[in-house]
Amino acid sequence: MSQTVDTFFNLPCLATEHPTHESKPEASTNCHSCTIFELSEIVFAIPSHFISAIIQYKDLSQIPFVTSKACPGFIPHNGNPIPVIDLAHVLDLNNPNLKSRILIFKFDSLLSAITPDKIIAVEKLRIINGPIPGSESFSEGYTIYNTKPVAIIALARLSKLICEEVL
Amino acid sequence: MNIGHSLEDLFSIEHETHLKEMEIGLVEFRNSGFNHNNVKKLFRAAHSLKGAARLVKKELIEKTTHDLEGLLKEIEERGSITNEEIAKMEYLISSLGGKINISGDVYNCPSVSSSSLLHITTSHISELIQLASELSVLTRRIDIEACSIKGLKPEVSQDIQRAETIANQLQRMTYQLRLTNLSELTRGLHTITAELATSLNKNISLKVYNVNTLIDRELLRKIEPCLIQLLKNAIDHGFEDLAERQKQGKNAICSLAIKAKQCGTCVEIEFKDDGRGVDLEKIRKKVIEKGLHDKTTAEALSSEELLEFLFLPGFSTKDELTAISGRGVGLDIVKSTLLELGGDVSVRTATGKGTSFILQIPSRIASFKALIFKCAENFIGVPLCYVNKVVETGDIVLSRSSGQTVVRYQDENILLADAARVLQLSRESTEKKNNRPIIILDVKDRKLALIVDSISEEREVVINPLDSRFEKVAAILGIAADHGNKLISIVNPEYIIAQPLVAIGNESQETSSIRGETKSLKVLVVDDSLTVRELQRRLLIQQGFDCDVAVDGIHGLEKLKEKDYSLVITDIDMPRLNGFDLITAIRSTPKLVRIPLLVISYKDRSEDKELALNLGANAFLNKGSFKDDTFAATVRSLLRGEENA
């Protein structure tokens, strides 16, 4: 059964759309179409307007001196080499990746990809700004899906992480 | 932003005319200082261009000319002009100048007839190239698949082949869109040469060879100021005056030659003058005067080491400033520009005979023949111009020399290394086939034998760079269009051969070191000079330490992530990440906060020392410390300090 961020990040379970974390007193809200996906039995979300494509998993090509544990390889997509980020490794999730899909996103004109285990839904959801306590590095907000808080992946941080790993 | 071509054409002509007036006005300012009429002329040109730019919605040109107007107004009101204002004016005018304007839009080249003019952005060209590359690969794949289909109509087969030919032509043509030849640049250099020669009363002949050498338009735009700087330096103080030339029996006409050639994936531009040459003793004197080295160290510096000082910011051997050169800003910018582009600049000089600057400019987009091989389930390519020979392990004599496995080839012992290991690729399977092919790479007379899994093919590839996040990765020239579902990484043999390599058969020694089975202390040496690196490594091994090396700060950080070290020794001036930034990165990493850090720089400047120590270095030595036991003593002392702590 899938976990949501409350259990993963050790948060109290939130039953309402307006959580009352003490550390987040002034959460601004807005609605966006979000792609909900599962990775290592945890549910995450990405605003759909960042997503360029979701394709079947294909083998990754290693690029000498570039690939790392966080970026284990690249895929060709529309003639471009796209770096694939191992989100499970980045978030320190233990379960092996199922390698079923590749989700390509564009942030700041740069394409990157992640490999979710399962795409669950695309839904218009309210995004609550600010990180969930304990997940500051890779979450830039959260949304409520099926009455549970789901972390919105911080794409800026993730996109930048690739070059930090190379360095 | 779409405007009619006719208006665009007119703007182009007007732009060229006004730009020419501005360039002449600028030269006049440089030669004669403030002149009321000159200010008026320049102002008029800037104002007219601003109006035209506004009409065709060239907003950045409009803004730049507006800034120029403002500057000229200030100069006019004050009645004088400063060198800084001339430099600012030069910057503004050069911003208006190239064939690619400051907004990144490629617009009309004046020499092209108006019927063939095109308005297109560089990003569109890049996309077009990528799509054409993909189409070419797809048609190739379809052609291969079609061969295995039984009963395929011959007409269909012919159509597929025709589609493949067209796709290849399309790929080549789109690729040509990004390229231009050097003649676009050299036209401007001839004008500047003529103007400077007149103002300095020198008779100068500029000859350009191989002007048809192709180069990426964007790169050409970036290196244009570098060539202008070299030109100014040569004309202003590289050439002797007429009397001196005659006294030395030289031709009265000073000769400047620019030679371009394609070397693998780089374009090499040699800038050669037949002037007086660089006065090495004058550099040595300046080094001492500026306190960069003490007298003893400075006297021991070789000519190559002395010439390196020319690229230091603020370093000039000229005693007098002119409006053209002598401020000590110029060569450092040339060097940093080339390094930013992934290239380099070097200098050769002979007293009384002249000086050559050699600029190496890597092509971000290029097409060349590559040898493609398989390594750890990946397709890797090397430009064919670096491949000396391909042999099979069974056909060549392997032997041991100085404890390393070598290939005996053409009376030379060549280090044999595993490609997967050298390229840092991880294998899923540890099984290695027998009789694997060996590629002998030859880079500027240095050879390396790389053992690979299999040879795939030899073919023309068009490479695209990785995106901006990876632009500092010098090891990869680019990625070629995909091979089925795999990408082909085209590696840079020049980078690979400069790496510290482990020969086949020596891995066990390294592995034991990684596992910490050795009790000796590990030291990391970070230095971009192979000689210095090797010297330090040997000295440390003699002292009983384990030593790893890294070629620059980035490589150093990678090593520090991989292993635990007892001491880091670093140089200051390095490409990609310099010593200061490396120290900062180390000290901001919690697990490395206490690691002893020794800085060794041959540019023994007090400000460098102070900064390094402030950033967190524990000691600072100059490279003269290798001559006695200062180096070894400092290393031992730093390591003792760590043990005591």
Side-chain angles (χ1 to χ4, degrees):
Chain A
M1 190 180 156
S2 299
Q3 289 175 284
T4 45
V5 281
D6 55 343
T7 49
F8 176 63
F9 292 117
N10 207 16
L11 293 172
C13 181
L14 302 170
T16 66
E17 203 170 319
H18 301 286
T20 53
H21 295 306
E22 284 179 10
S23 57
K24 241 184 59 53
E26 294 168 359
S28 62
T29 60
N30 45 50
C31 277
H32 286 284
S33 168
C34 290
T35 300
I36 315 288
F37 64 92
E38 189 181 302
L39 178 67
S40 297
E41 299 181 347
I42 297 172
V43 180
F44 297 94
I46 289 179
S48 300
H49 64 270
F50 287 114
I51 296 173
S52 295
I54 297 172
I55 56 172
Q56 287 284 341
Y57 185 87
K58 47 185 165 186
D59 284 341
L60 310 184
S61 298
Q62 292 183 70
I63 294 189
F65 304 98
V66 174
T67 39
S68 60
K69 281 183 179 165
C71 172
F74 284 63
I75 50 156
H77 181 66
N78 289 345
N80 298 308
I82 313 286
V84 179
I85 301 161
D86 184 349
L87 193 56
H89 169 80
V90 170
L91 298 177
D92 208 14
L93 308 176
N94 293 324
N95 296 349
N97 191 235
L98 294 181
K99 297 180 177 176
S100 68
R101 292 282 187 280
I102 294 179
L103 186 156
I104 300 167
F105 64 89
K106 192 173 195 174
F107 187 85
D108 206 11
S109 311
L110 298 168
L111 289 161
S112 313
I114 54 171
T115 52
D117 291 340
K118 190 162 74 180
I119 305 293
I120 301 172
V122 177
E123 273 192 38
K124 202 161 188 179
L125 297 168
R126 195 175 296 278
I127 292 177
I128 301 153
N129 293 332
I132 295 177
S135 66
E136 285 85 353
S137 342
F138 291 100
S139 124
E140 61 182 358
Y142 54 98
T143 184
I144 306 297
Y145 178 70
N146 281 349
T147 72
K148 306 272 184 182
V150 169
I152 307 283
I153 297 293
L155 299 179
R157 179 78 189 89
L158 210 55
S159 179
K160 203 176 153 204
L161 169 89
I162 303 173
C163 40
E164 284 171 8
E165 280 288 318
V166 172
L167 302 186
Chain B
M1 185 172 62
N2 278 318
I3 59 170
H5 279 169
S6 57
L7 200 54
E8 183 77 24
D9 302 347
L10 288 174
F11 174 73
S12 171
I13 294 161
E14 189 174 355
H15 174 259
E16 199 192 12
T17 312
H18 292 316
L19 204 58
K20 185 79 193 159
E21 286 168 3
M22 289 181 207
E23 281 169 352
I24 292 168
L26 183 65
V27 171
E28 203 170 323
F29 273 138
R30 281 204 212 103
N31 294 341
S32 326
F34 177 78
N35 172 313
H36 180 71
N37 284 337
N38 196 29
V39 176
K40 271 178 83 176
K41 265 196 294 184
L42 256 166
F43 193 93
R44 199 166 44 241
H47 190 73
S48 303
L49 185 58
K50 185 169 90 169
R54 187 182 299 144
L55 199 64
V56 292
K57 296 191 174 79
K58 296 276 182 194
E59 285 160 13
L60 283 173
I61 292 184
E62 188 187 339
K63 188 185 175 304
T64 310
T65 44
H66 180 76
D67 291 347
L68 186 59
E69 275 183 345
L71 179 65
L72 287 162
K73 208 170 171 188
E74 275 178 35
I75 294 166
E76 168 78 355
E77 282 169 2
R78 204 176 52 246
S80 65
I81 187 164
T82 64
N83 282 340
E84 284 75 15
E85 283 166 334
I86 292 177
K88 192 174 175 189
M89 204 181 294
E90 188 172 12
Y91 168 74
L92 290 170
I93 293 173
S94 68
S95 301
L96 294 166
K99 300 296 174 281
I100 297 169
N101 75 3
I102 45 187
S103 67
D105 291 344
V106 177
Y107 63 96
N108 42 344
C109 169
S111 61
V112 178
S113 70
S114 58
S115 62
S116 61
L117 296 175
L118 185 66
H119 179 85
I120 191 167
T121 62
T122 45
S123 60
H124 280 138
I125 295 177
S126 299
E127 279 173 35
L128 196 62
I129 290 170
Q130 279 165 0
L131 290 172
S133 301
E134 197 180 10
L135 181 66
S136 176
V137 172
L138 276 174
T139 50
R140 186 181 162 83
R141 214 187 301 164
I142 292 168
D143 191 19
I144 293 167
E145 292 294 326
C147 292
S148 61
I149 300 172
K150 285 179 185 169
L152 189 73
K153 283 185 183 174
E155 304 88 72
V156 177
S157 182
Q158 278 167 14
D159 284 350
I160 291 172
Q161 281 177 12
R162 172 91 181 118
E164 193 186 350
T165 310
I166 293 170
N168 288 339
Q169 279 173 355
L170 181 67
Q171 188 190 20
R172 272 197 298 276
M173 287 178 75
T174 51
Y175 167 59
Q176 294 294 332
L177 288 175
R178 273 283 293 266
L179 298 174
T180 185
N181 65 38
L182 275 177
S183 63
E184 284 207 25
L185 172 66
T186 53
R187 275 200 297 271
L189 295 182
H190 279 291
T191 313
I192 296 171
T193 305
E195 283 163 356
L196 289 179
T198 310
S199 67
L200 294 170
N201 200 22
K202 287 180 179 174
N203 199 348
I204 298 165
S205 141
L206 171 65
K207 284 188 180 159
V208 184
Y209 300 89
N210 305 330
V211 285
N212 289 326
T213 304
L214 292 171
I215 185 164
D216 189 327
R217 279 175 200 277
E218 281 193 55
L219 286 179
L220 191 66
R221 186 169 60 94
K222 285 179 183 165
I223 61 154
E224 187 174 3
C226 300
L227 289 179
I228 292 172
Q229 186 62 47
L230 293 176
L231 187 80
K232 284 183 192 170
N233 285 354
I235 296 175
D236 192 27
H237 57 93
F239 293 124
E240 313 88 337
D241 57 29
L242 183 61
E244 199 182 328
R245 283 182 79 87
Q246 283 172 338
K247 198 173 152 190
Q248 290 182 20
K250 282 183 165 179
N251 193 325
I253 301 170
C254 306
S255 160
L256 260 179
I258 299 177
K259 294 178 185 170
K261 63 176 177 181
Q262 187 83 36
C263 299
T265 55
C266 280
V267 171
E268 195 175 281
I269 299 178
E270 184 182 4
F271 199 98
K272 190 177 183 181
D273 68 60
D274 73 340
R276 57 170 68 93
V278 179
D279 186 341
L280 294 174
E281 287 316 307
K282 210 165 180 180
I283 299 181
R284 206 186 301 277
K285 203 175 139 201
K286 285 273 174 187
V287 166
I288 300 166
E289 267 176 30
K290 283 179 165 272
L292 301 174
H293 269 310
D294 59 39
K295 200 174 172 218
T296 321
T297 315
E299 279 171 359
L301 292 172
S302 67
S303 52
E304 288 79 15
E305 285 171 326
L306 285 168
L307 287 169
E308 279 292 308
F309 283 93
L310 292 176
F311 298 107
L312 271 186
F315 193 93
S316 172
T317 54
K318 227 188 159 194
D319 297 324
E320 293 170 9
L321 282 184
T322 70
I324 300 161
S325 64
R327 290 184 194 84
V329 288
L331 284 182
D332 63 316
I333 307 250
V334 172
K335 178 99 174 173
S336 60
T337 304
L338 267 295
L339 288 177
E340 266 174 35
L341 296 172
D344 206 354
V345 57
S346 57
V347 57
R348 286 197 294 256
T349 191
T351 309
K353 290 184 177 169
T355 306
S356 286
F357 285 89
I358 295 128
L359 282 69
Q360 280 197 318
I361 309 144
S363 300
R364 280 174 187 273
I365 176 156
S367 167
F368 48 82
K369 277 203 153 186
L371 178 71
I372 297 161
F373 59 88
K374 254 188 123 176
C375 176
E377 291 88 44
N378 294 282
F379 287 101
I380 310 291
V382 279
L384 206 57
C385 55
Y386 292 110
V387 177
N388 185 302
K389 194 176 171 71
V390 179
V391 290
E392 293 215 327
T393 36
D395 300 337
I396 202 156
V397 179
L398 301 179
S399 58
R400 300 280 294 173
S401 171
S402 310
Q404 296 184 310
T405 307
V406 293
V407 167
R408 190 78 191 147
Y409 176 67
Q410 289 179 344
D411 297 329
E412 248 186 280
N413 283 338
I414 302 164
L415 184 82
L416 178 67
D418 182 14
R421 191 178 180 79
V422 169
L423 300 173
Q424 299 176 7
L425 297 172
S426 57
R427 287 180 193 279
E428 282 179 17
S429 149
T430 51
E431 191 188 333
K432 290 177 186 172
K433 281 193 308 181
N434 287 328
N435 222 13
R436 288 191 294 159
I438 294 172
I439 300 171
I440 297 177
L441 296 176
D442 189 342
V443 181
K444 295 174 186 163
D445 295 329
R446 289 188 64 198
K447 292 193 180 73
L448 171 70
L450 272 186
I451 189 158
V452 303
D453 294 349
S454 62
I455 300 291
S456 175
E457 61 182 325
E458 175 193 311
R459 72 170 169 96
E460 186 88 11
V461 290
V462 175
I463 59 163
N464 281 317
L466 287 167
D467 69 47
S468 57
R469 286 169 291 189
F470 307 98
E471 63 189 7
K472 289 183 176 171
V473 182
I476 302 296
L477 294 171
I479 304 297
D482 70 67
H483 193 279
N485 267 335
K486 286 272 188 179
L487 296 164
I488 309 168
S489 307
I490 308 295
V491 294
N492 181 358
E494 294 198 15
Y495 179 88
I496 289 165
I497 222 152
Q499 294 297 299
L501 299 163
V502 179
I504 296 265
N506 279 26
E507 295 97 327
S508 56
Q509 194 185 324
E510 200 186 58
T511 310
S512 68
S513 168
I514 292 165
R515 286 179 190 150
E517 286 165 16
T518 169
K519 285 184 182 172
S520 58
L521 295 165
K522 290 191 194 74
V523 180
L524 177 65
V525 170
V526 189
D527 201 305
D528 61 334
S529 158
L530 178 67
T531 320
V532 176
R533 257 190 340 253
E534 189 55 24
L535 174 64
Q536 291 188 40
R537 194 180 71 83
R538 285 180 194 175
L539 286 171
L540 290 163
I541 288 170
Q542 276 171 19
Q543 296 292 318
F545 301 116
D546 251 3
C547 179
D548 278 351
V549 290
V551 297
D552 56 36
I554 300 286
H555 192 208
L557 284 180
E558 282 170 5
K559 290 269 176 191
L560 285 161
K561 273 186 188 172
E562 286 166 14
K563 289 189 206 176
D564 292 330
Y565 292 94
S566 308
L567 171 71
V568 177
I569 304 174
T570 181
D571 184 19
I572 293 287
D573 294 307
M574 293 183 288
R576 300 207 294 167
L577 188 75
N578 67 30
F580 297 128
D581 293 337
L582 176 64
I583 299 168
T584 309
I586 288 174
R587 289 302 182 228
S588 58
T589 307
K591 78 163 191 170
L592 300 173
V593 164
R594 300 186 66 180
I595 191 169
L597 253 166
L598 168 60
V599 176
I600 300 186
S601 173
Y602 73 78
K603 287 160 195 165
D604 188 22
R605 293 181 292 201
S606 56
E607 61 267 35
D608 282 359
K609 183 176 180 177
E610 199 177 323
L611 180 58
L613 295 175
N614 283 341
L615 290 171
N618 301 89
F620 189 100
L621 295 175
N622 64 41
K623 287 180 184 169
S625 60
F626 300 134
K627 289 179 184 145
D628 50 35
D629 68 349
T630 314
F631 172 71
T634 310
V635 168
R636 281 197 299 270
S637 139
L638 285 171
L639 286 167
R640 269 200 306 275
E642 191 202 33
E643 281 158 7
N644 293 340

